[in-house]
Amino acid sequence: WLKRSWPKPRRARVTHLPAFQVVVAAMAPGQFATEPNKHTLQPIVTGSTVLGLKYNGGVLLACDTLASYGSQARYKDVCRMKKVGNYSLLGASGEFSDFQYIGKLLDELDNEDFLYEDGSMMGPKQYSSYIGRVMYNRRSKMNPLYNQFIVVGKKGEEPAQLAFVDHQGTYFEEDFIATGFGSYLAMPIMRNEWSADMSLEAAKALAVKCLQICFYRDCQAYNRFQFGICDASGVTVSEPSTMEHFWGHKILEKRLEGNQKGVSDSW
């Protein structure tokens, strides 16, 4: 008679959990699992200011190319903008991995639009509304995405769209917006100098001026930046450029004399 070859028993999976927890986790995964939920408690790799402003004919997005690891200027050639669909552009401050996560969600929406094959595509109004609902949903679960987003775009003959969404789901539309430290440093400049009929070149000059101030005053800003332009012709993200900067001011080089302990006289 022929020998029958029996299959060898599988090796038990090595795990750090007790045996009963392995069984329960396999039978009831997800919210009924015995392991605790694990949430992000603070952002790790972060981006700083993003600027958005409308101009005559479209809307402009501007940000630097730095992603900081804590306080270390770690990743210096990062694009913090993402083209979404055919008409929209997303700019992100805050945790970079959360930006990548929501970018995947938006790609799924875009693919779904494409598969319908009905000629109808979502625009910046729809994407910004969706992002606001996602952010509020995550905030309500006490597991927020640590970002501030600016969503811009122009769909056909519709007016240019510029919207702000933060980690709590706060949503509003404006003519010019800044995130991060730019909400303190750049907003006063844009309030004074922005106008509805400004040209694209004037909008770029104003954005560079604001980014220069942020670079001087924000330790997590950088001197390389990118522009994102949304107009009737489509969405364009420029190659990185380097801004001019000067640190040779005498007042910045002033030495403390005598028994002075403070640094207030150098600002």
Side-chain angles (χ1 to χ4, degrees):
W1 56 281
L2 297 176
K3 291 185 178 180
R4 185 171 181 179
S5 58
W6 296 94
K8 294 182 180 180
R10 291 183 179 179
R11 296 182 60 185
R13 186 178 61 175
V14 178
T15 177
H16 64 283
L17 295 176
F20 78 94
Q21 288 191 357
V22 174
V23 174
V24 173
M27 294 174 58
Q31 61 179 321
F32 301 108
T34 53
E35 283 204 339
N37 289 329
K38 299 175 182 178
H39 294 172
T40 302
L41 300 181
Q42 64 181 17
I44 303 298
V45 179
T46 59
S48 187
T49 299
V50 179
L51 305 175
L53 59 157
K54 295 180 182 178
Y55 64 90
N56 186 15
V59 59
L60 177 72
L61 200 63
C63 65
D64 61 37
T65 62
L66 177 67
S68 300
Y69 180 74
S71 60
Q72 178 189 11
R74 180 65 181 85
Y75 306 103
K76 299 180 180 179
D77 193 20
V78 172
C79 180
R80 294 192 286 122
M81 300 182 194
K82 177 178 176 61
K83 182 182 177 183
V84 183
N86 295 334
Y87 313 104
S88 310
L89 191 62
L90 174 68
S93 294
E95 174 60 48
F96 194 75
S97 64
D98 288 345
F99 168 52
Q100 292 173 316
Y101 167 76
I102 205 161
K104 291 180 180 179
L105 297 183
L106 297 175
D107 286 340
E108 291 176 5
L109 275 184
D110 187 40
N111 289 337
E112 189 175 344
D113 261 359
F114 173 77
L115 293 174
Y116 283 143
E117 295 185 350
D118 57 0
S120 178
M121 302 295 288
M122 292 174 63
K125 187 83 172 179
Q126 292 75 38
Y127 282 118
S128 57
S129 178
Y130 172 79
I131 293 170
R133 297 306 88 213
V134 170
M135 300 298 276
Y136 185 78
N137 175 266
R138 291 292 296 261
R139 167 259 187 194
S140 299
K141 293 179 178 179
M142 301 298 176
N143 188 21
L145 301 177
Y146 289 90
N147 294 105
Q148 289 182 333
F149 292 117
I150 294 182
V151 187
V152 303
K154 192 175 189 314
K155 184 177 180 180
E157 299 302 320
E158 296 180 6
Q161 169 81 6
L162 175 57
F164 169 91
V165 186
D166 72 2
H167 64 290
Q168 294 178 327
T170 304
Y171 172 94
F172 62 87
E173 299 174 12
E174 255 294 352
D175 293 324
F176 50 88
I177 300 173
T179 68
F181 257 108
S183 60
Y184 305 100
L185 301 174
M187 285 298 289
I189 300 173
M190 291 196 287
R191 288 192 188 105
N192 291 334
E193 301 187 17
W194 179 87
S195 63
D197 60 346
M198 69 192 316
S199 65
L200 174 59
E201 295 305 318
K204 286 183 176 181
L206 178 55
V208 170
K209 181 177 181 180
C210 294
L211 289 175
Q212 283 179 326
I213 297 297
C214 292
F215 177 56
Y216 285 133
R217 298 298 188 184
D218 183 3
C219 65
Q220 293 189 356
Y222 196 48
N223 67 328
R224 281 169 57 83
F225 64 93
Q226 287 179 286
F227 287 128
I229 302 169
C230 297
D231 54 23
S233 63
V235 178
T236 305
V237 178
S238 70
E239 292 296 320
S241 303
T242 303
M243 72 177 73
E244 296 181 0
H245 54 93
F246 178 70
W247 297 91
H249 301 287
K250 293 299 181 182
I251 195 158
L252 295 178
E253 298 176 350
K254 185 175 181 180
R255 302 285 183 177
L256 296 178
E257 300 176 358
N259 296 321
Q260 292 177 330
K261 301 296 184 182
V263 294
S264 60
D265 58 343
S266 66
W267 291 85

